[in-house]
Amino acid sequence: MGKPTGFMEWSRVPAPKREKVERVRDAREFVLPLAPDEAKRQAGRCMDCGVPFCQQGCPLGNPIPDFNEAVYRGRWKAAFLALSSTNNFPEFTGRLCPAPCEAACVLSIDQSPITIEQMEKEISERAFAEGWVQPQPPARRTSKRVAVVGSGPAGLAAAVQLNRAGHSVTVYERDDRLGGLLRYGIPDFKMEKGVLDRRLAIMEAEGVVFRTGVDVGKEPGYRALREQYDALVLAIGARKARELEVPGRELAGVVPAMEYLEHQNRVVSGLATLEPRWNAEGKRVLILGGGDTGSDCLGTALRQGAKSVTQVELLPAPPTIRAADNPWPRWPMVFRTSSSQEEGGERSFGLMTKSLSGSDGRLQKLHSVKVELLRQPNGGTRLVEVPGSEETHEVDLLILAMGFTGPDTSGLQEELGVRLTPRGAVQVDARFATSADGVFCAGDANRGASLIVWAISDGREAARSADAWLSGSSSALPTRGKDASFG
Ligand SMILES: Cc1cc2nc3c(=O)[nH]c(=O)nc-3n(C[C@H](O)[C@H](O)[C@H](O)COP(=O)(O)OP(=O)(O)OC[C@H]3O[C@@H](n4cnc5c(N)ncnc54)[C@H](O)[C@@H]3O)c2cc1C
Ligand code: SF4
């Protein structure tokens, strides 16, 4: 334990951020490091609970009290070794995780939780700066070859683990660059691409082979790939976007969030110039979808110089404090303000889009109606329109960020006989094995659109099962955080 009275003496101090007016003028990260003394105090607040709920809240089971204590005592390398024993990419989660561990921290019951996410960033950046993050190629190679399809966090985590187990791993990626949503979804202001490239270089030095621009299922087909390798890990994400099915959807000025964010990521990386259809400068922007993707679009539109931005959520606003049926340590379903929402723009809730209109094929107006959530006698809820609440909103750019419906599975069923769930995700058992022999699946492709920390966790578990399968030990290995069958 750090300091037994630390949590009583010191309050939570989050990491400093760059001023809002300054940070919206560029695409750089805006969360700054904690001063070393402050990091020590924040780690010293940890009570080393007998039952560390933080650790149960973390899908990776990170040894949070251990690394907090090590930071408090100034033993940064020990902190890094503890953290990296369960988390392949703490520099990603330390920047991007919504931190279910913090929601589950015992201090959250009546105080502010430990700054666990920031501590991961502090530890991993210290580790890179000190040269402690070095390639760890396997001492010995097995004769087994594994193909990983998809280079998002799930595929990368699976590749690291399988490579370290001695198998020869090739990662196939459809995009021109590696990283999945870390590359072409998440904006640089949340995580600069250099953080990803730094990790990819280490993986290459460890012996992982990367092939970009390869659309598996087309060329090569899934069956052909399976025949070339001893096992496959599918980590193809879940990028099929939910559509807006209203009259006027075809008008110019309506863009899917992933097109918008991918283009901006290419612009920031110097791979493209900003095209007018994805440029919010001087425009009245509406974003449909109140979630994280919409919020990233909001931050992007502000940085592009939008005239106004409103993020519109279909559902009513959540409560500001936990409801009685949503107790600690569960994830609190409460009203949140993201870093992008802090920066500017408006938010509106309980608004359903009925149609879009414009002239000369260009979007000009969005027609909406207010909706309310009505409790049903069976305990469920139903959205109902409020009579007479019709409104019209002027809009030049409408960004669709209404979530994702699942993975692109074309070819998987036909060529490999991989079964899908009723919702179209890849079906896996408790060991992340699909219905096809030697084919495993990790991340959003089986879980549905989720979080980086889950993708890393699934990637590790799928790798563990693939390794056991390759070495002929079917006695595999209990897994974390996964039901026997995913529906
Ligand atoms: C805009 C946005 C912001 C987000 N922000 C956060 C955040 O701040 N924090 C957080 O925790 N989570 C965030 N998420 C969610 C998180 O990014 C995902 O849960 C995570 O990336 C899933 O990882 P994955 O490896 O399963 O899939 P992905 O990251 O989607 O990667 C899948 C990869 O597979 C490739 N692929 C697909 N099919 C093929 C094929 N046939 N052949 C070859 N390659 C293929 C794709 O091109 C892609 O590169 C965000 C999501 C979005 C959309
Ligand atoms: S629950 Fe909070 S206080 Fe307790 S060990 Fe975990 S981080 Fe420390």
Side-chain angles (χ1 to χ4, degrees):
M1 178 172 195
K3 185 164 194 211
T5 53
F7 71 99
M8 294 189 288
E9 288 173 39
W10 301 314
S11 324
R12 176 181 164 108
V13 175
K17 291 179 187 162
R18 293 168 60 207
E19 287 299 329
K20 286 174 247 177
V21 285
E22 180 213 314
R23 72 197 202 211
V24 293
R25 291 201 214 112
D26 62 44
R28 309 293 309 269
E29 282 182 18
F30 58 84
V31 179
L32 302 171
L34 278 170
D37 281 356
E38 192 57 68
K40 179 180 158 130
R41 280 192 289 275
Q42 292 304 306
R45 292 181 70 230
C46 175
M47 304 185 290
D48 192 10
C49 303
V51 181
F53 278 88
C54 54
Q55 209 162 317
Q56 301 192 14
C58 173
L60 287 162
N62 285 342
I64 293 163
D66 297 359
F67 66 67
N68 276 328
E69 182 182 5
V71 169
Y72 178 69
R73 301 201 181 284
R75 299 197 335 252
W76 285 89
K77 189 163 187 185
F80 169 64
L81 292 175
L83 175 56
S84 56
S85 69
T86 50
N87 187 348
N88 299 94
F89 312 126
E91 70 276 24
F92 303 165
T93 50
R95 287 172 166 82
L96 297 168
C97 195
C101 54
E102 292 186 20
C105 171
V106 172
L107 281 174
S108 287
I109 296 174
D110 62 352
Q111 287 197 31
S112 300
I114 303 298
T115 52
I116 303 169
E117 183 197 7
Q118 183 65 20
M119 210 54 73
E120 291 191 17
K121 184 178 164 198
E122 302 291 335
I123 295 168
S124 43
E125 288 312 310
R126 171 77 71 118
F128 275 103
E130 298 281 354
W132 299 330
V133 190
Q134 291 295 329
Q136 297 175 46
R140 184 183 71 77
R141 287 275 170 202
T142 68
S143 57
K144 306 289 185 190
R145 300 172 70 237
V146 184
V148 175
V149 185
S151 67
L156 294 181
V160 170
Q161 294 296 95
L162 285 161
N163 183 64
R164 287 191 184 159
H167 309 303
S168 300
V169 181
T170 305
V171 179
Y172 289 90
E173 171 54 56
R174 174 192 279 166
D175 284 337
D176 57 346
R177 300 234 168 161
L178 299 163
L181 289 170
L182 299 169
R183 173 78 60 188
Y184 287 136
I186 294 169
D188 279 59
F189 57 80
K190 282 168 61 179
M191 188 177 90
E192 289 174 20
K193 300 295 177 272
V195 175
L196 172 61
D197 291 332
R198 180 176 69 178
R199 178 57 70 175
L200 291 168
I202 287 178
M203 290 179 64
E204 269 191 306
E206 288 176 344
V208 176
V209 175
F210 292 112
R211 299 265 161 80
T212 53
V214 182
D215 194 348
V216 177
K218 289 190 179 146
E219 187 53 50
Y222 278 107
R223 189 179 298 128
L225 195 71
R226 177 71 188 89
E227 283 165 6
Q228 286 174 45
Y229 288 88
D230 297 296
L232 296 190
V233 178
L234 307 171
I236 55 178
R239 287 237 206 132
K240 276 202 293 197
R242 184 165 292 116
E243 250 307 337
L244 178 68
E245 284 161 6
V246 300
R249 162 65 182 86
E250 72 292 347
L251 290 166
V254 184
V255 299
M258 277 309 298
E259 280 184 22
Y260 178 67
L261 291 172
E262 174 168 349
H263 185 68
Q264 178 67 9
N265 270 306
R266 286 182 185 279
V267 171
V268 172
S269 298
L271 302 170
T273 47
L274 188 50
E275 283 190 33
R277 68 185 152 141
W278 289 308
N279 188 355
E281 188 178 2
K283 292 181 182 166
R284 293 162 298 187
V285 180
L286 290 181
I287 299 163
L288 294 188
D292 291 340
T293 303
S295 171
D296 287 352
C297 295
L298 168 64
T300 302
L302 292 173
R303 280 163 180 75
Q304 288 179 341
K307 185 173 175 193
S308 65
V309 194
T310 306
Q311 193 178 354
V312 178
E313 168 58 46
L314 173 68
L315 296 173
T320 49
I321 52 166
R322 284 178 182 275
D325 59 356
N326 177 222
W328 175 89
R330 288 197 205 141
W331 179 250
M333 309 297 279
V334 292
F335 187 82
R336 287 193 174 75
T337 301
S338 73
S339 55
S340 294
Q341 289 157 350
E342 253 168 44
E343 290 165 355
E346 306 285 320
R347 294 167 79 182
S348 105
F349 292 87
L351 214 65
M352 181 187 275
T353 303
K354 299 295 283 184
S355 65
L356 307 172
S357 63
S359 74
D360 295 333
R362 263 219 83 75
L363 173 71
Q364 287 177 326
K365 291 184 168 61
L366 179 146
H367 307 278
S368 70
V369 63
K370 287 209 168 73
V371 286
E372 286 176 348
L373 210 52
L374 271 198
R375 286 221 172 270
Q376 300 294 103
N378 64 4
T381 51
R382 191 166 64 90
L383 274 181
V384 290
E385 297 183 14
V386 178
S389 66
E390 293 78 9
E391 287 174 349
T392 296
H393 312 261
E394 306 286 326
V395 53
D396 306 307
L397 177 64
L398 179 67
I399 303 174
L400 307 180
M402 300 166 307
F404 299 90
T405 57
D408 171 2
T409 50
S410 27
L412 267 181
Q413 277 177 300
E414 305 81 336
E415 293 197 41
L416 290 180
V418 163
R419 270 202 292 276
L420 304 182
T421 69
R423 297 169 122 196
V426 176
Q427 186 174 306
V428 293
D429 65 14
R431 292 169 187 160
F432 293 81
T434 71
S435 52
D437 210 28
V439 181
F440 300 82
C441 179
D444 283 5
N446 72 55
R447 187 173 283 283
S450 180
L451 296 174
I452 290 157
V453 66
W454 276 114
I456 299 172
S457 169
D458 290 0
R460 290 169 65 88
E461 298 300 341
R464 207 142 73 110
S465 294
D467 177 46
W469 187 83
L470 287 165
S471 47
S473 116
S474 58
S475 63
L477 307 156
T479 57
R480 279 182 59 85
K482 191 74 201 170
D483 296 334
S485 63
F486 177 77

